[in-house]
Structure formats: C-alpha cells, structure tokens
C-alpha cells in the first residue's frame, strides 16, 4: 500500500482552576462584605456561587485573575462551579464564612424613651439586645452640673445605672448608646 494517510490533530487545552479566598468574617447585620477569589482559564467565565450549599448567584467575569462580589447575608460561601469560554469547567476550592450579628439596641426598662431623667441616688435598669460583650456609652447632663453615670453588669443582659454628680443638682439625665466589640 500506497494509501493516503489521514492526520488527526489533538489540541490539549490549558486547564481551568478556581478558588474562593478562605476567610471568616464577623460583621453587624446589614454591612456589605466583599468576597474575593481567582479563576484561571480562557475568559470570559461564568461563576456559580453557593451559599450554605445552595445556588446563590451567577457572576460573569471577563478574564483570568481576581474576582470579587459583595454579600450582606450570613452563611458559608463557595465557588460551586465555573465554566470558561472554551466550555472547560470545574469546581472551585475554598470556603468563606460570614457571620452577621444583629445591630445592638438599648432601652431603659419601663419606658421607650432614649433619654431619661433620674435623680441622684435613684437607679434605673438599661436592657441591651445585643451579642455580648457590648460597650455601653452613657452621657450625663444636668443644669450646670457635670457628672457621669456609674454602671455595673447585672445578669447577662442588663446594666443598673445610678447617676454620680460632682456638683449639687436636682438630677441627671442619662442618654444611652451601644456598640459591638469585635
């Protein structure tokens, strides 16, 4: 034989890879967090992001390299699947965990007021709806008097307040605010 040969060309495509940067972030409820990751292959890419193992969103990303996306919900995020322009696909590695704590709130027991007048020596209970530890900031004011409000933790969720006035006055006003420590 003098037959004609048929040539077959096989092109081996560069592999694809993807990862979500592993992080654990704790924030207050409603705050946006940017999660980041990387993909390699031939862009553009279709990225599928999962939250707690379920489809969360699809991201279209133009080129190899870094990507990011905002989230504002607690959960465990992963790059569940990705596909590049050649239809090569894979499953990403890495897990990002977001924990969002409720925004703290404070109230004086027995009233909805954010400001309360109390007399020197009188005690009032301040309740916090928060994830402990909480830093409680209190301001005290009176007509011409300067002072502060002494507080101590009572139980797990309450602070008992009593005005401490440096100059004689009829009373003091306590105003409450709270922040999470983190």
């Amino acid at each position: 034989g003098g037959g004609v040969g048929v040539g077959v060309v096989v092109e081996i495509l560069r592999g694809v890879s993807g990862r979500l940067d592993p992080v654990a972030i704790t924030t207050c409820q409603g705050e946006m967090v940017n999660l980041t990751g990387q993909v390699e292959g031939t862009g553009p890419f279709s990225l599928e992001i999962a939250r707690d193992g379920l489809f969360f969103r699809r991201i279209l990303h133009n080129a190899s390299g870094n990507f990011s996306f905002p989230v504002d919900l607690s959960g465990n995020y992963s790059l569940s699947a990705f596909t590049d322009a050649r239809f090569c696909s894979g499953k990403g590695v890495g897990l990002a965990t977001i924990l969002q704590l409720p925004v703290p709130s404070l109230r004086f027991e027995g009233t909805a007021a954010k400001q309360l007048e109390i007399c020197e020596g009188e005690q009032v209970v301040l309740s916090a709806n928060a994830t402990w530890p909480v830093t409680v900031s209190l301001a005290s004011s009176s007509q011409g008097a300067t002072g502060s409000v002494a507080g101590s933790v009572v139980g797990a969720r309450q602070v008992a307040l009593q005005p401490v006035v440096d100059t004689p006055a009829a009373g003091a006003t306590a105003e409450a605010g709270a922040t999470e420590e983190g």
Side-chain angles (χ1 to χ4, degrees), residues 47-51 54-57 59 69 77-80:
L47 311 174
E48 288 186 20
I49 306 298
R51 178 176 160 256
L54 302 174
F55 177 81
F56 176 67
R57 70 180 291 188
I59 299 171
F69 59 96
Y77 292 86
S78 62
L79 178 57
S80 60

Side-chain angles (χ1 to χ4, degrees), residues 7-8 15 17 30 33 36 47-48 50-51 56 67 72 82-83 93 104-105 108 116 133 136 143-144 153 160 168 174:
V8 175
S17 64
V33 174
T36 59
L47 311 174
E48 288 186 20
R51 178 176 160 256
F56 176 67
F67 66 89
D72 64 351
F82 56 90
T83 304
V93 297
S105 64
F108 292 107
L116 183 66
V136 178
Q143 296 85 7
V153 175

Side-chain angles (χ1 to χ4, degrees), residues 8 13 19 22-23 40 65 79 81 130 147 149 155 159 173 175 181:
V8 175
L13 302 175
R19 66 175 265 132
V23 294
E40 296 298 327
L79 178 57
V149 178
V159 177
T173 300
E175 193 170 334
E181 286 185 359

Side-chain angles (χ1 to χ4, degrees), residues 106 109 125-132 134 153-159:
L106 295 173
E109 287 294 315
V125 175
L126 178 69
S127 293
N129 179 12
T131 304
W132 291 81
V134 172
V153 175
V154 177
R157 301 251 183 247
Q158 296 181 331
V159 177

Side-chain angles (χ1 to χ4, degrees), residues 55-77:
F55 177 81
F56 176 67
R57 70 180 291 188
R58 183 178 314 279
I59 299 171
L60 298 178
H61 184 65
N62 288 329
S64 286
N66 297 332
F67 66 89
S68 68
F69 59 96
V71 297
D72 64 351
L73 298 170
S74 289
N76 294 308
Y77 292 86

Side-chain angles (χ1 to χ4, degrees), residues 25-35 51 56 69-75 77 97-104 178-182:
I25 300 172
T26 300
T27 67
C28 284
Q29 190 173 17
E31 287 186 22
M32 285 290 196
V33 174
N34 271 327
L35 298 181
R51 178 176 160 256
F56 176 67
F69 59 96
V71 297
D72 64 351
L73 298 170
S74 289
Y77 292 86
T97 301
I98 306 299
L99 175 61
Q100 291 196 323
L101 303 174
V103 176
T179 58
E180 293 285 345
E181 286 185 359

